[in-house]
Amino acid sequence: MTQARTSRPLQRRRWLRRTLALLLLAALALWLLQPQRAGRMLLQRAATALGLELDVAGIDYRLRGTPQLELTGLVAKRPGDHVALLRAKRVFVALPWRTLRALGDDLSLERIELDAPRLDLPALQRWLATRPAGKTRLPTLSRGLRMRDGRIDNDDWRIDQLAIDVPSFNPAQPLHLHVRGRYVAAPLTIPANLAIRVANPQALLDAGISDVSGAGTLALTAATWRLPAQVTLSGPLQLGKDSAVMRPAKLGIAGRYLSATSSAPFRLGLYGPMAFNNALWRWVPVTVVVAGAGAIPDARARGSVSLGRLLRLHLDGAIARWPDAWPALPAPLAGSPSPLSFALDYAGQPDFSSSASLAVRRDATTFDAHFRLPDVLAWLAADPANSPLPPLVGTLATPRLELSGATLEGVEIQLDDVPGTP
């Protein structure tokens, strides 16, 4: 009898615990069926961990199979900052259960999708400056990443129409990605479509060095000209706060200069340290090799190149042979086997519409000139009978010149045939 009385309270306690557990599970299920409430709590935990203010217009998730979270109208902002570092129309994340159970110790994700993300680079840098020092942790993505209609804004440049496809990602393994977008730093616009390989993504993000290579198409575009091209670029890359350095960089371009009056194909190779900062690409020092066709000569030079709002060149080199498309040289210049050494200086608009200076020497003959490249290319493409003299200002000095059977000595010729000048 005593044993029966003792077992009844024990059974009641077991029944009570089971009932409470079922009620808690039911309450949890009801709570999980309210994505807005549960999602905002999870979002608040993420905001606290990241030191950000996170807001969304809508939240939805799925727990059956692989857990999936979808956010619409995401805005991420550093507390006290008036500019959001990230806005996105839609963010989709699929992650395995083990990642949820690990509570941040396991960063294994399946897939991320971003629709119309807009990243403000200065705001991102202000937030990163507040983060604890240490190794940057990145998640793995077994089914990769997809971005569409993205944009990156900086103070003096932007990348828009950005689309990125990554089939899979592990920060300790080589990364392959396909990138399409448009780099804009007025007056320059460069649409690009590139396949890129990063040998060691983790090293790159930890301010280390990683070999990077890319190949694809781009098109430099300005108001009066276009330069569509096939490009390749490779070298060891290091990222800074707002900069990138590739030392050395190998750049190959096979392109065509197009304007209303000209079409000039060429192949160009650059080799040397390349740096990017403040919307300025710099190659100092650089070796330049040009394989031309038509009016573009074969040439090799050394010097410096920088491209941003302005193009700056200083090159010293040699033209291997006088192009057939250029006006024929008189004797004895035409018969000399010597290369034409030159010094080219330019500082002006990226379309070469500003004046360039050129100094050329062959043997004892010198030629110093100022010209605008679009005018010269248009003159070369036109009928020589319309304008026998090139549109440039310069001085030719030579000890001897043969013209129409006459031999002239101690010759100095001034040219001032500039468009618009009577």
Side-chain angles (χ1 to χ4, degrees), residues 30-41 59-61:
L30 288 172
W31 182 73
L32 289 173
L33 290 174
Q34 304 176 64
Q36 291 293 328
R37 181 179 298 177
R40 289 191 181 279
M41 190 205 76
I59 302 174
D60 196 9
Y61 60 78

Side-chain angles (χ1 to χ4, degrees), residues 37-270:
R37 181 179 298 177
R40 289 191 181 279
M41 190 205 76
L42 294 173
L43 201 66
Q44 183 57 48
R45 293 185 62 182
T48 301
L50 294 171
L52 289 171
E53 295 175 355
L54 299 178
D55 191 20
V56 294
I59 302 174
D60 196 9
Y61 60 78
R62 188 189 77 178
L63 297 178
R64 180 179 298 177
T66 299
Q68 298 177 357
L69 175 66
E70 185 175 71
L71 308 175
T72 56
L74 172 68
V75 179
K77 184 185 298 185
R78 185 175 67 96
D81 203 333
H82 65 285
V83 177
L85 65 91
L86 176 66
R87 296 177 182 272
K89 181 179 179 181
R90 171 180 172 267
V91 178
F92 170 85
V93 181
L95 65 167
W97 280 105
R98 70 175 185 274
T99 302
L100 288 173
R101 291 192 293 266
L103 298 176
D105 292 331
D106 186 346
L107 294 183
S108 300
L109 304 181
E110 282 201 4
R111 184 169 176 80
I112 294 178
E113 296 179 2
L114 299 169
D115 292 345
R118 182 165 181 170
L119 179 69
D120 187 279
L121 200 55
L124 174 65
Q125 291 166 348
R126 291 192 293 271
W127 171 68
L128 289 174
T130 67
R131 305 304 297 158
K135 186 175 182 179
T136 303
R137 295 183 65 200
L138 290 176
T140 61
L141 298 169
S142 60
R143 294 197 297 118
L145 175 144
R146 182 192 69 88
M147 177 195 294
R148 292 294 182 271
D149 195 25
R151 175 166 170 155
I152 300 174
D153 289 316
N154 201 3
D155 294 328
D156 42 18
W157 58 266
R158 73 175 187 271
I159 299 174
D160 58 23
Q161 303 175 15
L162 183 61
I164 299 176
D165 289 284
V166 179
S168 63
F169 176 70
N170 185 319
Q173 298 176 3
L175 166 65
H176 298 267
L177 64 158
H178 184 200
V179 179
R180 299 177 301 282
R182 186 179 68 163
Y183 172 84
V184 180
L188 198 63
T189 301
I190 309 177
N193 188 336
L194 303 170
I196 299 172
R197 180 184 184 273
V198 181
N200 191 333
Q202 187 68 61
L204 201 60
L205 289 170
D206 292 336
I209 298 174
S210 173
D211 284 333
V212 174
S213 60
T217 61
L218 57 77
L220 280 74
T221 305
T224 60
W225 60 274
R226 289 192 310 116
L227 201 161
Q230 298 278 341
V231 297
T232 60
L233 176 67
S234 63
L237 179 67
Q238 186 172 25
L239 298 178
K241 180 181 178 182
D242 188 21
S243 63
V245 176
M246 185 175 279
R247 186 183 297 114
K250 300 177 183 178
L251 175 65
I253 300 175
R256 181 179 291 270
Y257 177 89
L258 299 171
S259 69
T261 58
S262 305
S263 175
F266 66 93
R267 287 179 293 146
L268 174 69
L270 281 78

Side-chain angles (χ1 to χ4, degrees), residues 191-384:
N193 188 336
L194 303 170
I196 299 172
R197 180 184 184 273
V198 181
N200 191 333
Q202 187 68 61
L204 201 60
L205 289 170
D206 292 336
I209 298 174
S210 173
D211 284 333
V212 174
S213 60
T217 61
L218 57 77
L220 280 74
T221 305
T224 60
W225 60 274
R226 289 192 310 116
L227 201 161
Q230 298 278 341
V231 297
T232 60
L233 176 67
S234 63
L237 179 67
Q238 186 172 25
L239 298 178
K241 180 181 178 182
D242 188 21
S243 63
V245 176
M246 185 175 279
R247 186 183 297 114
K250 300 177 183 178
L251 175 65
I253 300 175
R256 181 179 291 270
Y257 177 89
L258 299 171
S259 69
T261 58
S262 305
S263 175
F266 66 93
R267 287 179 293 146
L268 174 69
L270 281 78
Y271 179 85
M274 181 187 73
F276 174 75
N277 193 17
N278 297 324
L280 182 66
W281 302 84
R282 292 179 293 113
W283 298 71
V284 183
V286 65
T287 297
V288 179
V289 178
V290 179
I296 305 296
D298 295 341
R300 186 180 186 92
R302 284 184 57 83
S304 62
V305 176
S306 66
L307 176 61
R309 295 183 183 276
L310 297 177
L311 172 63
R312 298 180 185 275
L313 299 175
H314 173 73
L315 297 174
D316 293 294
I319 298 173
R321 58 183 296 273
W322 189 261
D324 294 334
W326 291 7
L329 289 173
L333 296 176
S336 173
S338 303
L340 283 86
S341 60
F342 69 87
L344 175 65
D345 286 279
Y346 180 81
Q349 296 300 313
D351 61 359
F352 271 100
S353 61
S354 303
S355 179
S357 65
L358 176 67
V360 180
R361 173 181 288 274
R362 173 179 268 182
D363 302 326
T365 300
T366 62
F367 179 55
D368 295 290
H370 296 272
F371 67 95
R372 290 179 173 83
L373 182 62
D375 297 337
V376 174
L377 291 175
W379 174 77
L380 289 169
D383 185 352

Side-chain angles (χ1 to χ4, degrees), residues 4-17:
R5 290 175 179 173
T6 304
S7 64
R8 287 173 184 170
L10 182 60
Q11 290 173 353
R12 283 196 296 268
R13 285 195 296 271
R14 288 174 179 170
W15 177 86
L16 182 60
R17 284 199 298 270

Side-chain angles (χ1 to χ4, degrees), residues 383-422:
D383 185 352
N386 295 334
S387 178
L389 295 177
L392 50 79
V393 175
T395 301
L396 172 69
T398 183
R400 187 168 66 92
L401 198 62
E402 297 178 8
L403 290 173
S404 302
T407 300
L408 306 176
E409 295 185 350
V411 176
E412 184 173 297
I413 300 174
Q414 298 283 339
L415 296 174
D416 59 0
D417 188 9
V418 180
T421 302

